[in-house]
Amino acid sequence: MNKIISFIAKIGNPVTSFIIMLGAMFMLILQIIASIPYCLRRFHLVIKELFFSGVLSLVIISVSGWFVGMVLALQGYNTLQRFGSVSVLGSLVALSLLRELGPVLSAILFASRAGSGITAGIGLMKATEQLDAMQVMSVNPVSKVFAPKLLAGIIAVPILNVLFNTCGILGGHFVGVTLLGLNNGAFWSQMQDSVSFNYDIINSIIKSFIFGICITLLAVFHGVTSKATAEGISSATTKTVVHSALAVLALDFILTAFMF
Amino acid sequence: MKRITLDFWVGVFVLIGIVCTIFLSLKVANIVSFNNYNKNTYTLYADFTNIGSLKNNAPVKVSGFTVGKISDISLDPQSYQAKVTMQIDNEYKFSSDSSAEILTTGLLGEQYIGLKSGADTETLQNGETISYTSSAMILEQLIGKFMTNMSSK
């Protein structure tokens, strides 16, 4: 009997803590949504966050996009060569970047570059009791700290995604046309023939928009709920990166199933 | 950091986003075709029994040279044939007994419409239909024909 009870307790504890986490997260989301109008009136808060999460990610996003595009073109060329249809390389690179690789990789890079920073920042504010101090001074930390970060994430991730795609396609063009000597016109015309604006590009931007919301929410949530110790902050940062990578990949599957 | 520096860099960031979006929509997805932009065109129609995997915006070529593009593909509810609408540049005129066929670039390449001019001195006018058409080559049908030929031998 005791064994059964302890078994049920073993299952029940993670389930209830998961439900508690969901509830806390939902409350946080509601609070953040409620304070978005405040943020829009004080837009310099958002601009500051955009600088740290967006502008400082420009280099890593463009460089990795360039290399992903080059690798895609190189691998695609080797495979397509066997079937004698190297001419579709342009559409291969563009479609795989726009539909999957661009949104997913830029989101994961954003999570590890900016998401971890958001969590560590909020965790440290919590550990040094800055959040409590704000509340004492009747400044709402949700509207002053969390909501600007969320808005900045929502704005930054789609832009980074578009940049990633552009750099990737240019990288693919560099390998395909400049190094491997494909026909420049055929490369672009095959691409233009298969990529449609409404279908591929809009969906790519919608995807990254959703990923941006998801990553920044997770980052803010893990920062707020972190233990106020050095280990607490470091484990919260790890959790942010792991959870957002998992969430992005799972969401990507669901979104792809709906979109394409 | 000073506020104006932050504003500047965020502005640069947004600008990069806009430039990349324009690049993707114009150069990659080709919503406004650079080649045919602002050129005067006229419309020709052609009915096909099978268009294969012909798509909108596919080129219309004569001897491999692009003279226009496909603007619309629809199904004629009476004859159950696919009606292809083509926009041809004004400077190219074709005789009224011209023929249209659906061709493929390479083995797996895109499909396009090839026009062949006839001998008639009259030319096709805006809104007229090309009467001589040959459908896309469907690999399964060819294999089917080949198999029946083989078995009847």
Side-chain angles (χ1 to χ4, degrees), chain B residues 40-44 60 67-68 86-90 92 94 115:
Chain B
N40 296 320
T41 57
Y42 66 102
T43 311
L44 286 182
V60 178
V67 295
M86 296 174 277
Q87 302 292 333
I88 312 283
D89 288 356
N90 263 345
Y92 306 111
F94 301 101
L115 291 183

Side-chain angles (χ1 to χ4, degrees), chain A residues 47 51 162 166 192-193 197, chain B residues 20 23 25 27-28 30 110:
Chain A
I47 286 186
F51 180 81
V162 176
T166 307
Q192 290 164 356
D193 193 45
F197 181 77
Chain B
C20 290
F23 170 81
S25 45
K27 185 76 184 172
V28 177
N30 202 17
E110 52 172 344

Side-chain angles (χ1 to χ4, degrees), chain B:
Chain B
M1 201 177 293
K2 262 200 259 167
R3 198 154 143 184
I4 194 140
T5 338
L6 281 181
D7 285 0
F8 172 76
W9 281 108
V10 173
V12 168
F13 179 64
V14 174
L15 201 68
I16 288 176
I18 293 171
V19 168
C20 290
T21 317
I22 291 174
F23 170 81
L24 286 180
S25 45
L26 291 187
K27 185 76 184 172
V28 177
N30 202 17
I31 34 176
V32 184
S33 181
F34 282 125
N35 307 328
N36 300 335
Y37 187 61
N38 223 359
K39 261 188 196 168
N40 296 320
T41 57
Y42 66 102
T43 311
L44 286 182
Y45 299 99
D47 296 333
F48 291 94
T49 37
N50 195 330
I51 54 166
S53 58
L54 194 70
K55 280 186 238 139
N56 249 350
N57 285 327
V60 178
K61 296 182 180 183
V62 175
S63 316
F65 180 78
T66 307
V67 295
K69 63 172 188 173
I70 294 169
S71 60
D72 186 49
I73 298 172
S74 59
L75 185 72
D76 188 338
Q78 258 104 47
S79 61
Y80 290 104
Q81 283 195 320
K83 194 176 192 64
V84 175
T85 312
M86 296 174 277
Q87 302 292 333
I88 312 283
D89 288 356
N90 263 345
E91 49 186 309
Y92 306 111
K93 298 285 182 197
F94 301 101
S95 64
S96 54
D97 57 345
S98 297
S99 62
E101 53 186 340
I102 296 176
L103 302 168
T104 312
T105 48
L107 190 60
L108 293 169
E110 52 172 344
Q111 287 192 309
Y112 64 93
I113 288 191
L115 291 183
K116 270 186 194 152
S117 201
D120 207 326
T121 46
E122 271 182 61
T123 54
L124 285 168
Q125 298 302 312
N126 184 27
E128 283 193 308
T129 304
I130 298 174
S131 35
Y132 305 105
T133 60
S134 58
S135 297
M137 194 175 68
I138 309 289
L139 206 57
E140 286 84 349
Q141 289 175 354
L142 283 182
I143 293 173
K145 270 182 199 160
F146 180 68
M147 297 294 275
T148 44
N149 282 350
M150 285 292 280
S151 55
S152 64
K153 261 179 198 171

Side-chain angles (χ1 to χ4, degrees), chain A residues 3-21:
Chain A
K3 259 187 183 171
I4 297 170
I5 289 174
S6 70
F7 178 69
I8 291 172
K10 239 181 218 166
I11 297 175
N13 191 32
V15 170
T16 38
S17 62
F18 178 72
I19 291 172
I20 288 170
M21 191 186 98

Side-chain angles (χ1 to χ4, degrees), chain A residues 167-200:
Chain A
C167 289
I169 288 169
L170 291 179
H173 179 263
F174 173 70
V175 167
V177 176
T178 314
L179 297 185
L180 298 173
L182 292 182
N183 186 341
N184 185 31
F187 187 86
W188 289 117
S189 71
Q190 276 287 342
M191 197 185 283
Q192 290 164 356
D193 193 45
S194 54
V195 175
S196 93
F197 181 77
N198 298 334
Y199 194 63
D200 295 314

Side-chain angles (χ1 to χ4, degrees), chain A residues 103-120:
Chain A
V104 170
L105 285 182
S106 60
I108 289 177
L109 285 172
F110 180 84
S112 41
R113 166 70 189 69
S116 58
I118 291 173
T119 308

Side-chain angles (χ1 to χ4, degrees), chain A residues 48-93:
Chain A
K48 202 174 152 209
E49 293 303 328
L50 257 179
F51 180 81
F52 286 112
S53 58
V55 176
L56 297 181
S57 316
L58 277 179
V59 177
I60 185 176
I61 290 283
S62 48
V63 171
S64 43
W66 176 263
F67 277 107
V68 167
M70 292 211 297
V71 166
L72 260 180
L74 206 57
Q75 282 287 4
Y77 183 82
N78 283 338
T79 313
L80 289 174
Q81 206 182 23
R82 290 186 202 169
F83 306 106
S85 47
V86 186
S87 57
V88 294
L89 188 70
S91 62
L92 173 97
V93 170

